[in-house]
Amino acid sequence: MKRWTKAFIAMTTMLMALTGCWDSKPVDKRLLPLIMGVDLDEEKNTYIVSLRIPDPLSGSFYSAHAEAYTFSEALDRMRMNEERSIDLLHVSLVLVSEALAKKGIEDITQYIMRARELKSKVTLAVVRGNVAKLISDQSKKRKESSTEMLDLFNTSAGWTPNIALTHAWEVYRDILSPTADIVLPIINKGTETMFQMEGSALFHNDRMVGFISSDETMLYNLFHGRFISGIVEVTESASLQIVDANVKNQTSWEGGSPKIKSTMELKAIVLEAKAKNVLDNRILKRELEQLLEKRFQLLFIKIKQEHSDILMTGVIFRKKLTQSQIDEWENQLFPKLVIDFRTVVDIRNTGDIKMRE
Amino acid sequence: MSKSWSITITFFAVHLSLIFFLYPENMIEIARFGQWAYILTGFTLELLFLRFYFSGLAAFPGEDLTEIVRRYGIWTARILLLPLVFYFFMSFVLLNRSHAELVTVVFLPKTPIWAILLIMLGIPLQAAIHGLKAIMRGSVILMFVVLPFILFSLVTCFQNTNLNFVFPLNIEPSFWRKESFLTGMLAHSAFLFLGMTSSKINFSSKRLRLMLYCTMGALLPLYFLANYIPLLIFGPATAVRFPFPFLSALDTVNLEWLFVDRITMFYLVSTLSFIFIYSSILQWMVATMLAKLYVPISTKVLCWAVTLLAYWVSVSIPDWEMIEQLIILDTPLRLYSIGFIPLLIFVVGITKGKGRRIQY
C-alpha cells in the first residue's frame, strides 16, 4: 500500500509539470520568416525592417514591414500587428540595402550576435535597389515552394565560388578584428530567378567602400580555400574547368615591410578548345596562370586602395607579428604589404577527346 | 565495473562539468595571446596538488578527509575544514545558478529561474541521498550516453577555425595574479572531491593513482580545446567580447544534413548532465562533512537541508553580474581549498602516517 501511495504522489507531481509550459506556442500559431531585409530611411534616420514569411500550404508567402529607430522596436511593431507570433530562429538571409551598407552595418550585426533571436550563422548580402520591394516581390518566377532562393547561399546546393558567402559571426569578427575585413555579395532583383548576382561589396570595418566583380570574388574564394569544383575559366584558346585549388602562403619581412609569397596550385581539365586538332598543354597552362595572376594583381591594387583587407593577410601574417603590430596592421602595415602571387596550373586531362591526333 | 574504473570516470565527468563553461571566458580574458601558457600553468598546479593529496590520502587507507584531519583534534579539524565546506557549498550554488542562467539564455528565455533550479537541484538531491555508490554508477551511465555528443560537437567546431589565430605565442608575464586566472582555477578544483571518497576507495593502490593521472592526461587536450576553439574561430579580439565563448563558437557550426539547426543544444544538454553529477557529489560531500564534524544527524536530512538552503540562496541571486561578483569573492576560499587542503593532508600523512608512504 505504501508503494502505491508513493507512486500516486509521484504521478500527480508529474501531472503538475504538464501545466507549466512557459514558452510553448503551437507551431500553427507561429510565423517563421526566412529572409529579413533592412533598409535605411535617411531623412527620418530610421530602419525599415521587412520579413518574407513562406506559407508552406499555399506555396506563396507573406511579407511584413515596419519602421522604427531600432531593429527590435521595428520587430516589436510587427509583432503587435501580426495575429501570430513571429519567430526569427529560421531566418537564414539578411538583406541590407546599399545605403545602409555605406553608412555601416555594425548595429545590425551586433543585434544579431547579442539578441540570439537570429542565428549567428545567418548569411548577409547587400541589395541594390529597394529592399522592401524585393522582399515583397509577388511575381512568381517559377513553380516552387517559397524557400528555394535560399539555396543560392547553400554550399551543398546552388552556391558557386562566384558568390561571396559571409555569415553574421564573420562580419562581427572582422569588424572587431584589426586584421581582417569582409566581402558581402551584392544582389539585385532577377528576371528569371529571384536574385541576380552583381558582384561583391568590399567592406572596411563595417562600411562598404568598394565593389569587386564576381570573377574577382571567385579568386577571393579560392584564396580562402572555399572551393567547389566546376568553375569555368575562359582563356584565349580554351575553356578550362578548375577542379582543385590549394593555396600556400609564406610570410617574411623585407626591409620593414611585410611580404607574403602566395602560391595557388590549381588543377584544371579542358572543356572546350578553339584548336580542333592539336592542343598544347604548356600554352593552356600559361594562359590560365597569366589570366589569374593578372586578375589577382588588379584585385590586390583595388583592396589596397580601399584599405580593405579581405584576403585576411593580417591573419596570415600573425605568426610574425607582435600584439602592438597586430593593432596597427590596418593603418600602418597593410598599406606597405607586398604580395607575390603565383599560380601553378596543372592540366589534368583534356576530356574525352585526345590532345593530338 | 570495478570501483577504480567508476571513480576514474566520475573524476573525468566532474572535470568536464567545469571545463566548458566559465573556464574559457576566464582564460581568454587574461590577455589577447599566450593562452597555452595559462592553461598549462593551471593544469600543472592541479597535477602538483593532486600528487600531494594522493600522498596524504594513501597514508590512511579507509579514512576520508575529515577523519584524517581529526588526528589534530576535533576543533582543529572543524576550523581547518570549515572554509572547504563553505567552498563546496558555494561551488554548488554558483554552478547551478550560473547554468540555470545559461539555460534561459540559450533556449528557455521566459521560464522562471526558480523552475529551472528546481529540476537542477532536485535530480542531484535524489542521487546524493543514495550516497556515493549511486552517484558513481549514475556518472558511468551518463558518461556513456553523453560523451559521444560532446566529442561530436567538439569535432564539428573545427569547420570554422583558422589556425593563424594561435599566434602570437608570447605570454603576458603577470598573468598569475590576474583576477581571471585565479577565477579560472575553478576548473582545477574538482579533484578535491577525491578526499571525501577515500573512506570507500583505497588510494594507496598504485594502479588507481596511475589511472587517475592518465585521466588528467586525457583532460589536458579538452582544456586546450575549450579555449582554443573559440579563439581560433573568432580571434582573440572578438572572443573576449563573449560571456560564453564556447557557446558562441558552437553557434557558428553549420551542418546542412543534421536534424538540428543549432548544435549548441547538444552541448548544453550534455554539460547539464555533467553538472548533475558534480552537483550531487558536492551535495553529498557537504552533507557528509557536516554530519561528521559539525552536526551529528543523518546525512539524508542534511542533504535535504543543504539543498533547500542552496535553493534559497540561488533563487535570491538576481542577475549575472552578481554571479560574477560571487565567483570573484569566492577566490580566496578557492585558493585555500586547492592549495592548502592538499598540503595539509600531505603534512598529516608525513607526521601521523603509519610509515606507509607512497612509492613512485
Side-chain angles (χ1 to χ4, degrees):
Chain A
M1 198 56 211
K2 213 180 157 194
R3 265 177 77 183
W4 281 106
T5 329
K6 270 188 186 171
F8 181 73
I9 292 173
M11 281 169 73
T12 340
T13 330
M14 279 179 205
L15 270 179
M16 271 164 65
L18 282 179
T19 61
C21 293
W22 280 273
D23 299 328
S24 86
K25 270 178 191 160
V27 181
D28 57 333
K29 299 280 183 273
R30 291 173 186 229
L31 291 175
L32 302 168
L34 276 183
I35 304 180
M36 180 167 149
V38 185
D39 203 344
L40 192 67
D41 188 328
E42 268 160 304
E43 280 167 25
K44 287 186 265 174
N45 202 19
T46 52
Y47 292 115
I48 307 164
V49 179
S50 357
L51 294 175
R52 188 176 171 108
I53 309 154
D55 178 22
L57 283 180
S58 69
S60 66
F61 66 93
Y62 318 105
S63 52
H65 304 273
E67 192 172 341
Y69 288 102
T70 66
F71 305 105
S72 37
E73 198 193 348
L75 289 165
D76 209 43
R77 289 213 178 136
M78 270 186 232
R79 287 191 172 118
M80 181 174 77
N81 295 327
E82 208 65 57
E83 300 88 353
R84 285 178 269 175
S85 104
I86 297 178
D87 203 334
L88 295 177
L89 195 73
H90 291 273
V91 172
S92 36
L93 178 62
V94 172
L95 300 176
V96 178
S97 74
E98 209 172 346
L100 180 59
K102 279 182 176 149
K103 196 165 170 254
I105 53 169
E106 188 166 1
D107 285 351
I108 178 79
T109 329
Q110 212 187 63
Y111 165 71
I112 295 171
M113 296 305 288
R114 193 192 290 276
R116 283 187 72 88
E117 275 197 282
L118 281 85
K119 301 180 271 196
S120 64
K121 56 186 183 193
V122 59
T123 315
L124 268 80
V126 177
V127 169
R128 271 215 176 126
N130 193 321
V131 180
K133 262 188 195 153
L134 179 68
I135 285 207
S136 52
D137 176 27
Q138 282 286 0
S139 63
K140 231 180 156 188
K141 274 138 197 165
R142 286 179 200 170
K143 218 179 176 183
E144 50 191 23
S145 68
S146 41
T147 60
E148 268 85 358
M149 59 270 187
L150 291 173
D151 286 338
L152 188 59
F153 298 100
N154 182 348
T155 43
S156 40
W159 180 80
T160 65
N162 290 319
I163 304 169
L165 182 63
T166 309
H167 301 110
W169 64 268
E170 288 169 300
V171 178
Y172 187 66
R173 175 189 71 189
D174 296 347
I175 290 173
L176 291 181
S177 153
T179 52
D181 283 304
I182 43 151
V183 162
L184 293 185
I186 298 187
I187 55 183
N188 207 336
K189 198 175 146 186
T191 46
E192 288 185 326
T193 47
M194 182 172 168
F195 302 136
Q196 186 177 319
M197 281 294 147
E198 303 240 316
S200 305
L202 285 182
F203 278 73
H204 178 56
N205 291 338
D206 73 326
R207 286 197 175 84
M208 176 175 165
V209 290
F211 169 80
I212 56 173
S213 69
S214 47
D215 279 346
E216 285 166 326
T217 310
M218 195 272 298
L219 208 54
Y220 152 86
N221 273 322
L222 284 190
F223 194 83
H224 282 293
R226 278 182 226 123
F227 175 80
I228 48 170
S229 68
I231 324 162
V232 177
E233 283 298 326
V234 183
T235 64
E236 271 171 37
S237 54
S239 292
L240 299 161
Q241 186 180 33
I242 298 171
V243 288
D244 190 22
N246 195 358
V247 182
K248 283 185 188 128
N249 297 309
Q250 277 181 317
T251 51
S252 61
W253 286 99
E254 248 167 49
S257 55
K259 186 180 175 186
I260 296 180
K261 191 167 179 253
S262 198
T263 317
M264 185 183 278
E265 287 165 10
L266 296 171
K267 291 207 165 72
I269 55 175
V270 182
L271 293 182
E272 289 172 61
K274 288 253 170 65
K276 298 288 180 282
N277 302 322
V278 185
L279 286 178
D280 189 344
N281 254 358
R282 274 169 302 173
I283 293 177
L284 293 180
K285 188 170 130 82
R286 203 176 317 127
E287 276 178 0
L288 185 58
E289 283 171 2
Q290 277 171 356
L291 179 81
L292 292 176
E293 276 164 25
K294 210 170 151 194
R295 194 186 291 163
F296 187 89
Q297 293 312 331
L298 290 175
L299 174 68
F300 189 58
I301 289 168
K302 204 183 274 178
I303 65 171
K304 231 169 149 179
Q305 260 172 7
E306 310 291 358
H307 280 265
S308 172
D309 187 6
I310 59 164
L311 300 173
M312 289 176 87
T313 52
V315 178
I316 293 169
F317 219 84
R318 252 184 118 88
K319 62 187 92 167
K320 296 232 163 64
L321 296 178
T322 62
Q323 187 59 44
S324 54
Q325 282 171 321
I326 289 176
D327 292 334
E328 63 184 25
W329 176 266
E330 219 168 60
N331 302 322
Q332 313 269 327
L333 296 168
F334 181 62
K336 288 193 216 159
L337 175 75
V338 181
I339 295 191
D340 180 14
F341 182 80
R342 292 271 164 271
T343 50
V344 180
V345 174
D346 186 18
I347 307 281
R348 196 188 266 164
N349 62 50
T350 55
D352 271 359
I353 296 178
K354 274 205 260 177
M355 210 183 315
R356 47 185 81 81
E357 288 168 289
Chain B
M1 187 167 281
S2 73
K3 254 188 196 168
S4 47
W5 268 108
S6 51
I7 191 78
T8 310
I9 290 174
T10 313
F11 184 73
F12 191 66
V14 162
H15 276 87
L16 282 185
S17 71
L18 296 172
I19 291 178
F20 289 109
F21 182 40
L22 294 167
Y23 182 66
E25 191 227 343
N26 289 322
M27 290 295 119
I28 291 170
E29 224 172 43
I30 295 175
R32 287 219 234 148
F33 42 86
Q35 262 68 25
W36 61 272
Y38 321 141
I39 300 168
L40 272 182
T41 312
F43 184 82
T44 320
L45 281 177
E46 183 179 353
L47 213 58
L48 196 71
F49 290 129
L50 187 66
R51 196 196 171 285
F52 282 129
Y53 210 32
F54 275 159
S55 134
L57 291 175
F60 309 101
E63 290 183 35
D64 69 15
L65 205 58
T66 57
E67 283 150 359
I68 295 172
V69 183
R70 239 174 146 156
R71 274 157 223 273
Y72 286 139
I74 176 84
W75 273 101
T76 323
R78 277 180 185 164
I79 292 167
L80 286 179
L81 292 181
L82 187 65
L84 185 66
V85 177
F86 200 65
Y87 175 65
F88 283 155
F89 180 73
M90 281 317 284
S91 307
F92 178 51
V93 168
L94 291 173
L95 204 67
N96 283 300
R97 182 59 182 80
S98 51
H99 268 80
E101 194 72 34
L102 187 67
V103 170
T104 62
V105 168
V106 178
F107 65 108
L108 297 174
K110 287 171 215 146
T111 312
I113 290 284
W114 64 262
I116 300 172
L117 277 170
L118 209 60
I119 293 173
M120 289 188 65
L121 295 188
I123 295 173
L125 175 66
Q126 180 73 9
I129 285 175
H130 287 92
L132 184 63
K133 222 172 175 180
I135 299 173
M136 276 171 24
R137 279 188 192 150
S139 65
V140 171
I141 293 173
L142 273 181
M143 198 64 171
F144 277 109
V145 176
V146 162
L147 195 64
F149 288 109
I150 289 258
L151 291 179
F152 175 73
S153 30
L154 281 177
V155 171
T156 51
C157 275
F158 280 93
Q159 199 184 45
N160 295 323
T161 50
N162 185 334
L163 280 179
N164 286 312
F165 280 123
V166 171
F167 303 103
L169 292 172
N170 327 12
I171 304 162
E172 163 72 45
S174 63
F175 74 91
W176 53 274
R177 53 188 164 87
K178 292 237 163 142
E179 205 173 73
S180 25
F181 178 74
L182 297 176
T183 318
M185 286 302 283
L186 176 71
H188 293 295
S189 68
F191 75 97
L192 285 167
F193 91 94
L194 293 176
M196 288 307 292
T197 62
S198 74
S199 59
K200 309 241 165 44
I201 284 146
N202 187 358
F203 286 103
S204 59
S205 138
K206 199 175 168 187
R207 187 171 156 264
L208 174 60
R209 286 200 310 270
L210 195 69
M211 274 164 78
L212 290 172
Y213 283 131
C214 288
T215 317
M216 282 298 283
L219 283 166
L220 184 62
L222 296 175
Y223 277 103
F224 270 90
L225 287 178
N227 282 286
Y228 272 103
I229 285 175
L231 275 178
L232 296 186
I233 291 181
F234 296 111
T238 314
V240 79
R241 303 287 284 266
F242 297 122
F244 314 109
F246 196 76
L247 194 80
S248 306
L250 280 166
D251 272 340
T252 68
V253 174
N254 196 9
L255 292 175
E256 290 292 335
W257 50 269
L258 202 70
F259 57 95
V260 287
D261 201 32
R262 285 189 193 189
I263 202 166
T264 324
M265 214 65 145
F266 278 160
Y267 152 78
L268 197 68
V269 173
S270 359
T271 27
L272 270 183
S273 41
F274 292 129
I275 291 294
F276 286 157
I277 297 172
Y278 195 33
S279 287
S280 53
I281 286 181
L282 286 169
Q283 245 169 353
W284 172 80
M285 281 196 297
V286 174
T288 319
M289 287 176 90
L290 284 177
K292 283 194 171 167
L293 288 176
Y294 305 94
V295 265
I297 47 174
S298 89
T299 345
K300 204 170 165 180
V301 178
L302 280 171
C303 270
W304 273 98
V306 169
T307 310
L308 286 178
L309 184 63
Y311 184 71
W312 178 71
V313 177
S314 315
V315 171
S316 47
I317 297 174
D319 50 30
W320 186 256
E321 206 184 328
M322 182 135 173
I323 299 175
E324 283 188 324
Q325 284 294 321
L326 283 173
I327 294 177
I328 290 167
L329 278 180
D330 210 23
T331 306
L333 273 181
R334 180 162 37 245
L335 295 182
Y336 175 88
S337 309
I338 299 179
F340 181 71
I341 296 290
L343 288 178
L344 175 73
I345 300 296
F346 176 67
V347 171
V348 185
I350 289 180
T351 53
K352 302 264 166 138
K354 297 153 199 152
R356 271 183 292 170
R357 301 279 306 283
I358 321 182
Q359 304 293 315
Y360 283 96

